[in-house]
Amino acid sequence: MEAHAQLQTPHQPSVSALSPSSSSSSSCSASVVPLSFSPVWTEPHGDKTEPLQAALNRQYYMAENGGVASTAGSATKTQWLRFVGTMGNGGMEWKGVEERFDRLALTGNGVEPVIKWSDFGLCIGMQQTPEFANELLRALRGTRDRNVDMSKDELHSYWCRMTDPCFDSRIQIYFDLCDRNMDGRITKKDLKQTIILSASTNKLSLTHEEAEDYAALVMEHLDIENQGYIELNQFETLIKMSLSKGSFSTNHLSIRRPYYSFDLCEEPRSKNEVLFRSYWRRAWIVLLWLIICTALFTWKFIQYRHRAAFQVMGYCLSTAKGAAETLKFNMALILLPVCRNTITWLRKNRSINSIIPFNDNINFHKMIAGGIVVGVILHGGAHLACDFPRISDSDRLIFWQTIAARFGYHQPSYFEILATKEVATGIVMVVLMMIAFSLATKWPRRQPPSLPRSVRNVTGYNTFWYSHHLFIAVYALLILHSMFLFLTDNNFLKQTWMYIAIPVLLYTGERVFRAIRSGFYEVEILKASIYPGKVLSLQLNKPEGFKYLSGMYIFIQCPQISPFEWHPFSLTSGPEDDYLSVHIRTAGDWSYQIYRIFPFELLQATLSGVKGYPKVHIDGPYGAASQDHVKYDIVVLIGLGIGFTPFISILKDVVNGAEKSHCDHTGCRECSLRKAPLKAYLYWVTREQSSFDWFRDIIKEISNSNQKQSVVEMHNFLTCVYQEGDARSVLISAIQALHHAKNGIDFVSRTPVRTHFARPNWISIFSKLAHRHREARIGVFYCGPSAVAKELEKMCTKFSTKTSTRFVFHKENY
């Protein structure tokens, strides 16, 4: 990826330029004007590298002359350097600071209440970064002793200085924060200390040697005359350049400023139309399922309404039998969504794939499970609470005239009924179902820390996996239960086996096929790597005949841990690679065990000089939601944390597709068969800097591939760093800009891809995508927590409604 980019005129009309802040003190205004920014478009310099000084000069020019312009220069400068919240846009008000002061205030010897100097950070909302707040207080107090109590008037004066719309006032505070001696000069040592403070505040890993190098880099650029220090005007230049660093971005789509305008269609789509087009495949499947369940329930309900037993048990009997019929259907249907080989084969057919939402197979499996729960409650509840008491307490004459023959002409008591084979098998089934259903829910399966330790010891993925196999016994009991019915002697009417025969045979066949196929796939671990955050990367040899598409996943089994457990992992290798690779993050008991095995095995291999990796088996490949990326010319890939993994092979596919599109061989069959998107945007969001180690080599590989500038744009977001423009991260931004301009490498991620700070502004991102790709159909693929998925799905609906661009949302489900 190119180290630098050149500014191109945006599609929007330009807006007023900024006046140099060095001469703007007289024009500082107390009012803050709401902002409206236009997007900044960038184009690559080709294969040439722009000189460092030229790039920095251009960036400074942008900062002074509208590169990040707004409708109000003073408003932009207010946003440039923030000490508290987002000033003028919902940040903390003085009233909130005053309330905190009043809660913390102490009454000393004097009349005026005061707070301890150490509570300054808590009052202004910097309680999470107390070290930075203490240094800020030192800068505000100047040469005075900072370790003295503070009155409300003094706090208010500091507050006014920190929120002053005048940029000069705030830059002076930040300069004083860096100037340890308060002599108006910042030395290399001062910079190093402030860099270490900023890195610690933003949870960045930085050694003293690296801090020394970065301080030297700043001095090299600013201290042109080698005086050994920099002054306010030089420091101001650095800060302004860092705050306009979007001009350096190698990504075509600048996303650091919000852009809220909508490119409305000539005929705006209604929300109902967008929702219908997005969910019609799910809707018709769910509607068909509900219709079938309702029809089966109604059929049996009416049938038993006309039976003799109705005179004894009434509508309780009809309800129980109607629910039983839906249970038979759902117990058969619930197996189909987990027949993964069948689904992978069916999704290859474009006609079938266009009307059946295979990506929602797990969601549909869960929905059917919910239907089974409702059926069990109705069936079992009606029998236990209504039917059986009515049988035991019914009028003897009516009993003899109707159902006495079914009970051997003996009217049983309630407990005698419970002891029959029919009821006993039913109760055991319900108990087994309750265990399996309970351990399959989100909390027990994920082992959250909020659960008591005693509960966590019997939960986790292993428990879910083994408890789910209780359904083998459930299906056996279901057959037995259907053979011993009180009110039916005709074997033809005992239809349970008819419902479940084909699904059970299909699922059993799938399990046998998987076992046989996994035995044929002999795989050897070629390389194993351990990364921070308890992430394990495995590189396996590719079995002969193993073919897959980008976005697919495989199951992995490690006999050393368990001969029965198979766990799904996305393939991070491309279809054209001669190896298979996966990244495994410890999120449960099995993944933790395999992570623990490898450090020991690697140590043993190092000591013995012989590779001693444990044996693993693979099964697959299987289709996933990301596989649908081939349906779109433009794709947006959004991964949170380890959720980046499904998209690595897609990015490789996009790059390879771009290379093949320039193939010189006329009629090249290999080039014509592969279909890949023409453009891909990647947004990877992670909380920890160490996460970049997981995929650093892969990102570099993709960044350095041919045609990368025109087909792939990658954006990294690090949420542990404060938002760009925040005083706590502004020096980090400055060093990032300088380092990237000089070396073409982002010092935070150590890749060519620039890192954005804080959480993404999805409104801004989607707005700019819609503006850039008008009338286009964009596939949005997401892998990560469900909470963000809901937000993104709403965003897709919103922008599909309000703009001419249609966003289609897909989420990974395993």
Side-chain angles (χ1 to χ4, degrees), residues 29-30 78 83-84 87 92-94 97 120 124 140 152-170 173:
S29 171
T78 301
F83 288 99
V84 284
M87 291 174 293
M92 180 180 290
E93 301 288 346
W94 166 248
V97 179
F120 172 73
I124 65 171
L140 289 166
K152 184 182 291 188
D153 289 341
E154 183 183 1
L155 177 61
H156 185 260
S157 67
Y158 296 154
W159 176 263
C160 291
R161 288 177 60 190
M162 290 186 294
T163 57
D164 192 337
C166 179
F167 180 69
D168 287 355
S169 175
R170 299 195 310 281
I173 297 174

Side-chain angles (χ1 to χ4, degrees), residues 271-407:
K271 186 174 181 179
N272 290 335
E273 177 189 354
V274 172
L275 291 174
F276 175 79
R277 294 177 67 176
S278 299
Y279 303 116
W280 71 269
R281 295 194 304 164
R282 299 179 191 174
W284 85 264
I285 290 288
V286 173
L287 183 62
L288 178 62
W289 175 69
L290 290 173
I291 289 173
I292 293 174
C293 289
T294 303
L296 290 173
F297 182 90
T298 304
W299 170 51
K300 278 296 177 182
F301 186 92
I302 294 174
Q303 186 182 88
Y304 274 84
R305 171 68 179 80
H306 298 93
R307 293 283 183 93
F310 184 83
Q311 298 180 44
V312 177
M313 292 172 274
Y315 285 104
C316 295
L317 174 64
S318 297
T319 301
K321 290 301 180 179
E325 204 66 20
T326 65
L327 277 172
K328 298 174 192 176
F329 172 68
N330 286 325
M331 288 295 289
L333 189 63
I334 197 169
L335 295 174
L336 299 183
V338 289
C339 292
R340 300 176 188 271
N341 284 293
T342 303
I343 290 175
T344 301
W345 176 71
L346 287 174
R347 69 162 65 232
K348 295 178 182 177
N349 186 303
R350 284 184 172 271
S351 299
I352 298 176
N353 195 18
S354 64
I355 60 174
I356 299 178
F358 291 115
N359 297 334
D360 291 306
N361 64 314
I362 298 300
N363 291 330
F364 190 51
H365 178 76
K366 294 176 181 177
M367 185 183 71
I368 298 169
I372 291 175
V373 171
V374 173
V376 167
I377 292 173
L378 288 177
H379 179 71
H383 273 331
L384 294 172
C386 185
D387 289 337
F388 299 164
R390 287 192 177 190
I391 291 173
S392 59
D393 298 334
S394 66
D395 182 87
R396 182 173 295 273
L397 179 61
I398 297 176
F399 176 80
W400 276 80
Q401 291 175 346
T402 53
I403 59 175
R406 308 296 182 190
F407 293 90

